[in-house]
Amino acid sequence: MRQYKYLLTICYFIAFFNCEEEKKTVFSEINITTENNSLVEVNIPEANGNKIVSNQINNKIQNTVISALHIGNPDEITSASIEESITAFNNEFKVFKTDFPESSQLWEAQIDGEIIHQSSELISIALTSYTNTGGAHGILNISFLNFDSKTGQSLKNNQLFSDVDAFKEVAKPYFNKVLTEKNIILDNTLFQLPANIGYTEDGIVLLYNTYEVAPYSDGIIEFAIPYDEVEDYLVFNSL
């Protein structure tokens, strides 16, 4: 009888940990602010479910937001949380107003995130940030974050493809088509994949932020490639 109870205990723990591993990641939207904040609005997804998976996803989102709110050298980020970054952004504005009291320029920062794809294999999240710190115009930046659904591991672009060169050959005509439609003249013989690639309902989206390959006036360059054209080169299934 004692041995029977021991076996039951082992089976219970095995079942418990299996359930934890298979628990699906779900997302809710959260708003983050601080006391005396009047400049920053942050609305981002928060992962819940398996703690190991969700913690890795949430940490990557947090670090991306902290980086977006940082003013100055990106190698000198000291904030350990989004709340600290919001406070630091407001404090920087106070310093600006002290140094330039005659300026009527208002600072602002808006960061929004959304789940653009979620399957049993991969999660893609888009974070859109707009910051204005008194320059001629604000800075709009979109970041795609990709994660392994099973582990929560953050994925680099080269981890999305089994054959990067073959994927580039498919992507290049799409890139050239957008340039033609927007009357952008670039040396397309130097074609490179963008920093931001993500999975969406429409296919694999490639997005070049302002200044990445073209002047500010040309704006963001973005296009989608249907999955059926590149599925042979993808590591992760889109379904």
Side-chain angles (χ1 to χ4, degrees):
M1 178 64 71
R2 185 174 181 181
Q3 184 178 8
Y4 176 71
K5 289 183 178 179
Y6 177 72
L7 290 174
L8 279 179
T9 301
I10 293 176
C11 290
Y12 169 79
F13 279 108
I14 291 175
F16 174 79
F17 285 113
N18 282 341
C19 287
E20 278 293 302
E21 291 175 1
E22 295 173 3
K23 190 181 294 183
K24 182 181 178 181
T25 302
V26 295
F27 292 88
S28 58
E29 183 178 283
I30 60 172
N31 172 272
I32 301 177
T33 188
T34 60
E35 187 177 355
N36 300 321
N37 169 43
S38 60
L39 305 174
V40 182
E41 182 79 19
V42 176
N43 300 293
I44 55 175
E46 180 179 58
N48 297 279
N50 180 291
K51 288 185 178 181
I52 295 176
V53 173
S54 58
N55 283 346
Q56 291 197 87
I57 294 174
N58 291 331
N59 286 340
K60 180 64 176 180
I61 293 173
Q62 173 180 271
N63 290 337
T64 304
V65 173
I66 289 173
S67 179
L69 291 175
H70 179 70
I71 299 171
N73 190 332
D75 295 327
E76 298 177 355
I77 296 176
T78 59
S79 297
S81 68
I82 294 175
E83 289 83 356
E84 284 187 23
S85 293
I86 293 173
T87 298
F89 190 93
N90 280 269
N91 288 340
E92 286 286 348
F93 176 66
K94 292 177 182 177
V95 172
F96 170 80
K97 290 298 292 182
T98 299
D99 293 341
F100 304 97
E102 73 286 352
S103 175
S104 60
Q105 176 69 48
L106 293 178
W107 287 20
E108 62 178 317
Q110 175 79 37
I111 300 178
D112 296 294
E114 64 173 323
I115 313 302
I116 57 175
H117 178 86
Q118 184 172 7
S119 69
S120 60
E121 295 189 4
L122 184 135
I123 297 169
S124 289
I125 297 173
L127 286 180
T128 301
S129 66
Y130 174 81
T131 57
N132 191 336
T133 56
H137 50 72
I139 299 175
L140 176 66
N141 188 81
I142 299 174
S143 300
F144 290 156
L145 309 179
N146 297 300
F147 303 92
D148 185 315
S149 296
K150 297 181 178 65
T151 66
Q153 177 188 3
S154 178
L155 301 168
K156 297 180 180 179
N157 286 344
N158 60 6
Q159 294 176 285
L160 301 177
F161 308 110
S162 58
D163 190 333
V164 175
D165 291 334
F167 177 82
K168 286 177 66 175
E169 288 301 312
V170 178
K172 187 174 180 180
Y174 282 87
F175 178 74
N176 292 337
K177 181 181 178 182
V178 174
L179 296 186
T180 300
E181 292 173 347
K182 301 185 74 168
N183 295 316
I184 300 173
I185 300 176
L186 295 175
D187 183 359
N188 57 21
T189 61
L190 302 177
F191 172 72
Q192 295 293 329
L193 295 178
N196 291 288
I197 300 174
Y199 278 51
T200 70
E201 292 183 358
D202 299 324
I204 300 292
V205 170
L206 282 70
L207 185 146
Y208 299 81
N209 276 298
T210 306
Y211 294 124
E212 189 171 348
V213 293
Y216 175 84
S217 58
D218 291 324
I220 290 173
I221 298 173
E222 180 181 12
F223 56 89
I225 305 175
Y227 288 114
D228 58 6
E229 293 192 29
V230 291
E231 58 186 357
D232 290 341
Y233 315 127
L234 301 180
V235 172
F236 297 89
N237 195 308
S238 62
L239 302 177

